[in-house]
Amino acid sequence: MSKDEKLPATIKASDYLEICREKALDAYTIEEAIYWHNEIITELSIELHTVQTMHWPDTVKASMMIALEDRLSQHAGAVTRLAGILERNEQLIWQP
């Protein structure tokens, strides 16, 4: 098998991140949404580490890291809000 061929079960990180994003948006329960947001956080953390190790110009790395950190922060905030709703046993009305 050449290095360009993929194993059938292999998914590119960017594809998995998109799958996680869709699953978080389509979640039917708060627990499911928390799970998928946590998956996104994990994937973004991996991306951040990857960017840090790249041999790119510092300005490009800094720009990429800021964008990734912002997304990571947004998803962490979503997890915090959703966990709070669970903890307080509040009713949540999903908005489209």
Side-chain angles (χ1 to χ4, degrees):
M1 179 181 289
S2 75
K3 70 176 185 174
D4 293 332
E5 291 180 73
K6 285 188 193 179
L7 296 173
T10 304
I11 299 175
K12 288 190 321 188
S14 60
D15 291 342
Y16 184 63
L17 190 55
E18 181 61 23
I19 289 168
C20 292
R21 188 189 69 78
E22 289 173 8
K23 296 280 189 179
L25 288 172
D26 294 339
Y28 286 102
T29 66
I30 293 173
E31 294 87 354
E32 187 180 3
I34 289 171
Y35 173 82
W36 288 110
H37 280 288
N38 278 325
E39 284 292 292
I40 292 168
I41 289 167
T42 299
E43 291 301 310
L44 290 172
S45 297
I46 292 167
E47 290 292 318
L48 265 169
H49 175 73
T50 301
V51 168
Q52 289 173 341
T53 63
M54 299 303 272
H55 298 292
W56 293 343
D58 288 342
T59 55
V60 172
K61 281 172 59 169
S63 173
M64 288 289 294
M65 290 179 65
I66 289 169
L68 288 169
E69 288 168 349
D70 183 54
R71 279 189 70 191
L72 199 146
S73 176
Q74 290 173 13
H75 289 283
V79 168
T80 300
R81 287 188 301 278
L82 291 168
I85 289 168
L86 271 182
E87 195 174 292
R88 293 182 300 274
N89 199 27
E90 291 179 10
Q91 182 178 4
L92 175 70
I93 299 172
W94 294 108
Q95 296 182 8

